[in-house]
Amino acid sequence: MWLELLLASVLGLVIYWFVSRDKEETLPLEDGWWGPGTKPSAREDESIRPFKVETSDEEIKDLHQRIDGFRITPPLEGSRFHYGFNSNYLKKVVSYWRNEFDWKKQVELLNKYPHFKTKIEGLDIHFIHVKPPQLPSGRTPKPLLMVHGWPGSFFEFYKIIPLLTDPKTHGLSDEHVFEVICPSIPGYGFSEASSKKGFNTVAAARIFYKLMSRLGFQKFYIQGGDWGSLICTNMAQLVPKNIYTPTLLLGRRFGRFLGYTERDIELLYPLKEKIFFTIMRESGYFHIQATKPDTVGCALNDSPVGLAAYILEKFSTWTKPEYRDLEDGGLERKFTLDDLLTNIMIYWTTGTIVSSQRFYKENLGQGIMVHRHEGMKVFVPMGYAAFPCELLHAPEKWVKVKYPKLISYSYMERGGHFAAFEEPRLLAQDIHKFVSLAEIQ
């Protein structure tokens, strides 16, 4: 009970602090230079260039040689995924990766959608831009920016894109048809990493707003999970008139009195297990990456098997916490090894695990609630999809503290942290629902 009282007190103080700052603010839309050296005096090249994912026999040969040199450490008996990635199952993943996974075929899949790059604030920004194959007569598509997080990539959206750009063909209503833009966060995948310290979510949000402006969009929808949700939040704080945001991601006895629904209570309690122990079990990576990202990054950037174990463990427990009780981490219950290894290969072939981890240091290295945007509310129409297996559940009344104009809150039927990758149809339906509500506001 003492823990519940402590957490309830902390939550109460946070809510009070937010409520006491109930005023509409915007972040300044400044400028930056994140490329190497000093900013050149010449005007930045704003051209948008086609890009294609490529590979080579030498790249694959090097990968195979490194995999062949992997040294296995046997797991403890009965440890399942409680100690991290179970090395017995890792042997299966590595064997598939070495002998059956076809990277050249997956590169063809990645090139299924049009890729582009453009220079913004000194960085080469990568994105895919997918337009509808067909439109109902007299209709124009709705622009939708979708932003990934860590340890994901733009590839997370490959299954949801056709549901948004061609909904009727896939059994959904074509009341809303989208053109989808999915960028890689700088330092992730094919987007160039910052050469300077301080590149945080606000800088990423500003760059993505400039990207959308460069593509000719004055108003557009945005969606994000993990870091993507914070980047989208910052975009709404920078340019609230241009943004719509669909689906970002106290004691049990008093839950109903405090306004929590039965479903909230199911997802929040027992508080000690669902919040305190979950944070303790799942936040080790967070502390490392927010303090010394380069140290562990050196190891991961040198070992493909180590990289796979480190990232895929998140796709196990973040998809469903109970998967840690399984010998195989439940990874193939929601994903294929081809899908999972394609995401790993994006990190491996671009060498971006270190720069992706630095994003934690830049955003959290100075502490929590020290940045202006953290204390600012968001006054644009917003939707929230509460997936039941997300690490921490946020009841509607909590979300409304930060987002007073919440117009859609959905208890999703199933799914966890990697919503677009895991449950693309459910997420697509919720995006359609939000847009319908936003258009009648």
Side-chain angles (χ1 to χ4, degrees):
M1 177 58 74
W2 65 268
L3 178 60
E4 295 186 5
L5 291 173
L6 175 62
L7 290 172
S9 299
V10 171
L11 175 63
L13 288 171
V14 171
I15 290 176
Y16 173 79
W17 192 81
F18 272 126
V19 170
S20 67
R21 293 170 55 87
D22 194 9
K23 60 180 180 178
E24 294 196 30
E25 300 177 88
T26 58
L27 292 173
L29 190 60
E30 299 172 336
D31 204 358
W33 175 260
W34 306 102
T38 58
K39 183 177 180 180
S41 57
R43 181 182 176 88
E44 189 167 63
D45 178 10
E46 296 185 358
S47 63
I48 296 173
R49 315 178 309 276
F51 171 76
K52 189 175 182 180
V53 182
E54 296 179 334
T55 189
S56 66
D57 291 338
E58 290 74 18
E59 185 176 64
I60 297 172
K61 181 180 178 181
D62 175 72
L63 171 71
H64 288 172
Q65 288 176 339
R66 290 170 183 268
I67 290 176
D68 290 340
F70 169 59
R71 298 186 300 174
I72 193 76
T73 300
L76 295 173
E77 295 176 3
S79 60
R80 294 166 286 181
F81 264 56
H82 289 262
Y83 282 69
F85 205 104
N86 186 292
S87 55
N88 282 339
Y89 179 65
L90 183 59
K91 287 190 290 186
K92 175 187 174 181
V93 174
V94 170
S95 175
Y96 182 86
W97 197 2
R98 175 63 175 84
N99 302 307
E100 299 178 59
F101 178 74
D102 188 341
W103 176 231
K104 290 185 176 180
K105 179 181 176 182
Q106 295 307 110
V107 165
E108 291 180 7
L109 173 63
L110 291 176
N111 287 320
K112 170 183 177 181
Y113 297 127
H115 294 247
F116 303 90
K117 283 191 175 185
T118 188
K119 208 81 167 178
I120 305 177
E121 297 192 7
L123 300 178
D124 240 358
I125 304 302
H126 161 261
F127 63 99
I128 58 174
H129 186 177
V130 188
K131 298 181 179 181
Q134 56 189 357
L135 275 171
S137 179
R139 300 269 294 281
T140 57
K142 298 174 171 65
L144 172 62
L145 177 77
M146 306 187 79
V147 187
H148 67 86
W150 187 90
S153 65
F154 67 93
F155 181 60
E156 288 180 60
F157 302 112
Y158 268 51
K159 293 180 182 178
I160 197 174
I161 285 173
L163 304 180
L164 298 169
T165 58
D166 192 15
K168 191 171 184 178
T169 299
H170 295 86
L172 298 176
S173 168
D174 64 354
E175 178 185 2
H176 308 295
V177 181
F178 301 89
E179 60 178 297
V180 179
I181 299 90
C182 301
S184 295
I185 298 171
Y188 289 69
F190 301 104
S191 279
E192 186 179 358
S194 173
S195 296
K196 310 282 193 297
K197 295 189 294 183
F199 186 88
N200 60 12
T201 57
V202 176
R206 185 178 63 242
I207 282 177
F208 289 166
Y209 172 66
K210 290 181 178 180
L211 169 64
M212 295 300 281
S213 297
R214 191 169 294 181
L215 292 173
F217 301 118
Q218 299 306 311
K219 290 190 175 183
F220 49 92
Y221 292 93
I222 56 178
Q223 185 275 335
D226 194 83
W227 281 125
S229 66
L230 185 51
I231 291 170
C232 289
T233 293
N234 294 154
M235 291 181 75
Q237 293 167 329
L238 286 164
V239 284
K241 294 181 180 180
N242 302 74
I243 300 295
Y244 298 93
T245 57
T247 54
L248 295 178
L249 291 124
L250 304 173
R252 178 190 295 267
R253 305 169 198 168
F254 303 105
R256 296 181 194 85
F257 175 75
L258 293 173
Y260 301 146
T261 67
E262 290 284 351
R263 186 60 174 148
D264 289 332
I265 293 171
E266 289 175 10
L267 295 171
L268 282 172
Y269 298 100
L271 202 64
K272 190 183 297 184
E273 171 64 28
K274 294 288 183 71
I275 296 182
F276 181 74
F277 289 154
T278 293
I279 291 173
M280 292 296 292
R281 273 193 299 257
E282 299 298 332
S283 62
Y285 83 99
F286 181 98
H287 295 287
I288 292 172
Q289 293 173 193
T291 54
K292 304 291 181 65
D294 285 29
T295 304
V296 67
C298 288
L300 300 178
N301 197 47
D302 190 59
S303 168
V305 179
L307 178 69
Y310 192 76
I311 288 180
L312 292 184
E313 182 256 317
K314 305 307 178 192
F315 279 87
S316 168
T317 53
W318 291 5
T319 297
K320 192 172 185 178
E322 290 80 5
Y323 283 171
R324 70 171 66 93
D325 297 327
L326 303 176
E327 294 290 337
D328 63 357
L331 277 168
E332 295 177 73
R333 297 193 177 193
K334 288 294 184 77
F335 310 106
T336 67
L337 287 180
D338 280 344
D339 285 343
L340 293 169
L341 289 171
T342 297
N343 184 65
I344 299 298
M345 286 295 287
I346 290 172
Y347 279 89
W348 176 254
T349 58
T350 59
T352 51
I353 187 60
V354 177
S355 53
S356 74
Q357 293 179 154
R358 286 174 182 161
F359 208 44
Y360 285 78
K361 174 76 169 178
E362 305 297 11
N363 284 287
L364 301 161
Q366 299 174 32
I368 298 175
M369 301 306 291
V370 298
H371 301 290
R372 181 182 172 190
H373 69 86
E374 294 175 292
M376 290 173 56
K377 296 188 178 186
V378 177
F379 291 93
V380 301
M382 186 265 187
Y384 188 94
F387 286 86
C389 294
E390 182 59 278
L391 288 171
L392 295 174
H393 172 65
E396 182 175 357
K397 67 179 302 175
W398 293 8
V399 178
K400 280 186 173 179
V401 172
K402 179 75 173 179
Y403 307 92
K405 290 190 177 181
L406 181 73
I407 62 172
S408 173
Y409 183 96
S410 304
Y411 293 104
M412 307 304 285
E413 180 181 347
R414 59 187 177 274
H417 187 72
F418 304 97
F421 203 33
E422 179 190 350
E423 296 290 349
R425 192 172 192 85
L426 289 183
L427 182 57
Q429 289 171 334
D430 200 60
I431 290 173
H432 279 265
K433 169 190 167 184
F434 169 83
V435 173
S436 293
L437 292 171
E439 291 188 347
I440 61 176
Q441 292 293 305

